[in-house]
Amino acid sequence: FVPLVIALAAITFAAWWLLGPEPALTHALVSSISVLIIACPCAMGLATPTAVMVGTGRAADAGVLIRGGEALESAGTVDVVVFDKTGTLTAGAPSVGAVHAAGDFEADQVVALAAAAERGSEHPLAAAVVAEAERRGLTIADADDFESTTGRGVRAIIGEREVLVGSAAFLLEAGIDATDPTLRATATATTVDVAIDGVPAGALEISDEVKPGAAEAVAELRHNGIEVHLLSGDSEAAAQAVADAVGIEHVSAEVLPGDKATHIERLQADGRSVAMVGDGINDAPALARADVGIAIGTGTDIALEASDITLVGGDPRLVGTAMRISRSTLRVIRQNLGWAFGYNVILIPVAMGLLYPFFGLRLDPILAAAAMAFSSVSVVLNSLRLRRLSVNPGKAEDW
């Protein structure tokens, strides 16, 4: 832009010096200087950063922390939002609802040994098992040879007994059939199977409440044309129950942590712009792979580090708030750039003297300076409108 303006100013000077009225030099100088002043690119330079600054500030006021302009822009183009389940759409505080013992095993024995094995795990379901043992007043023994298989389960030696705790598939890989239908959880709960010394010992039903506002969050996104997916490592039944409760149609269950990023890649391969919403260590690769990673503020540090946007407090309705602010900011940026370019397209020819041969009018440098300042101020004022942007989390309104 700058070389073009300098060239136009030079052409203006040469044309009026050779063809202009007397005093030709004065006329040429005034016209060329007016071109340089009127085209000062302040408005274009301010168009984007002022809108981004005000937009990110408004988002922070609403509890949405955005890393910068690139993340803000990307959020406005998202057409698919993928939610993790535990800790994102649910409260992330699972609890044991029922304990089923198999064969000669007793419920307290199953819980105590499962808690001893799970105490070395950081998974939310493991914490629920340990909490249940403490609630029952059971002694939790120390574990030896602890092994954890991500997304599957754990193995440990408790005393002289080998204990496996995890999914039915995890136990089946060890040659243990734990698919007894009498030990299966209800449709809304997750089954954690327990095997002791190679024998199915029982199962624990673990449930996690859906967060207040989760259904509203999904409704708002779908109202604005965004496709919503649920991605979970949990069982098909438990994941589907949560999806039904919040209104999600696209569900992928029993997804291993390493496969979550692959799921995001498949959506992107179809030309979709994808946002991933998660809170745990297992979600970090998917958060980093997505076009926009959105971390729940109550989640793990690694998830926060891998994300582009953080939702303070963990309210899932803030996902829609982030999208609304992003789209509004992009609209303001386009308005600013449209005004800045339109201003130059109209007034540069006037400054060059286009009206002088017909009306005897030319643009004085003082007026050019005033017009240039007005252009910059108008861009700033237009950006400041974002401060008054109404944000109603979870409301199914057009963005």
Side-chain angles (χ1 to χ4, degrees), residues 5-383:
V5 168
I6 293 176
L8 290 175
I11 292 171
T12 300
F13 178 84
W16 287 116
W17 189 19
L18 296 175
L19 306 173
E22 294 295 334
L25 180 60
T26 301
H27 194 99
L29 278 174
V30 168
S31 298
S32 59
I33 290 173
S34 294
V35 170
L36 292 175
I37 294 175
I38 204 70
C40 182
C42 293
M44 283 187 286
L46 292 169
T48 297
T50 54
V52 169
M53 180 181 67
V54 178
T56 52
R58 182 67 185 94
D61 291 340
V64 179
L65 304 182
I66 302 176
R67 285 188 182 272
E70 185 175 352
L72 184 68
E73 180 180 356
S74 298
T77 62
V78 165
D79 55 13
V80 177
V81 173
V82 180
F83 282 98
D84 172 51
K85 182 177 78 68
T86 304
T88 303
L89 291 177
T90 63
S95 59
V96 176
V99 179
H100 306 282
D104 297 330
F105 295 97
E106 296 181 353
D108 282 356
Q109 182 184 19
V110 172
V111 173
L113 289 173
E118 291 277 34
R119 189 160 59 175
S121 173
E122 296 181 350
H123 197 282
L125 298 183
V129 175
V130 173
E132 177 64 14
E134 293 174 345
R135 187 186 70 80
R136 291 173 177 241
L138 304 176
T139 300
I140 304 177
D142 294 330
D144 297 316
D145 297 330
F146 173 82
E147 296 177 6
S148 176
T149 303
T150 303
R152 294 285 192 175
V154 300
R155 172 195 172 278
I157 301 298
I158 313 298
E160 296 181 355
R161 316 198 74 168
E162 182 187 45
V163 179
L164 277 73
V165 185
S167 65
F170 175 67
L171 270 62
L172 191 59
E173 290 174 358
I176 303 169
D177 185 3
T179 56
D180 185 344
T182 63
L183 303 180
R184 296 298 91 193
T186 60
T188 58
T190 301
T191 299
V192 174
D193 292 289
V194 182
I196 299 173
D197 293 332
V199 178
L204 291 76
E205 290 188 13
I206 301 179
S207 58
D208 193 5
E209 294 183 357
V210 173
K211 284 183 177 180
E216 294 178 6
V218 173
E220 181 181 14
L221 293 172
R222 294 182 61 183
H223 177 79
N224 286 280
I226 295 179
E227 190 174 287
V228 183
H229 292 234
L230 177 62
L231 193 62
S232 175
D234 215 334
S235 66
E236 183 74 34
Q240 189 62 55
V242 172
D244 291 342
V246 301
I248 296 178
E249 296 179 351
H250 306 276
V251 182
S252 297
E254 300 180 7
V255 179
L256 295 177
D259 294 334
K260 289 186 175 182
T262 303
H263 185 87
I264 300 297
E265 290 175 357
R266 283 198 296 267
L267 290 171
Q268 291 172 327
D270 292 334
R272 315 300 295 275
S273 178
V274 184
M276 173 68 193
V277 188
D279 74 316
I281 295 174
N282 295 340
D283 300 321
L287 289 170
R289 184 66 186 87
D291 296 285
V292 181
I294 303 177
I296 299 296
T298 53
T300 61
D301 289 343
I302 190 170
L304 299 177
E305 183 64 28
S307 66
D308 303 298
I309 298 174
T310 300
L311 309 181
V312 178
D315 187 345
R317 294 177 299 177
L318 292 177
V319 174
T321 298
M323 304 294 178
R324 177 197 292 262
I325 292 174
S326 176
R327 290 189 180 184
S328 297
T329 302
L330 289 178
R331 278 198 298 270
V332 168
I333 289 173
R334 286 192 288 267
Q335 292 166 2
N336 288 346
L337 290 174
W339 162 253
F341 279 108
Y343 157 86
N344 282 290
V345 167
I346 293 172
L347 291 186
I348 286 179
V350 175
M352 292 177 68
L354 181 64
L355 299 180
Y356 187 81
F358 306 100
F359 305 104
L361 298 176
R362 64 178 183 177
L363 190 63
D364 187 273
I366 296 175
L367 294 177
M372 183 270 292
F374 173 75
S375 175
S376 300
V377 171
S378 65
V379 165
V380 173
L381 291 176
N382 190 47
S383 298

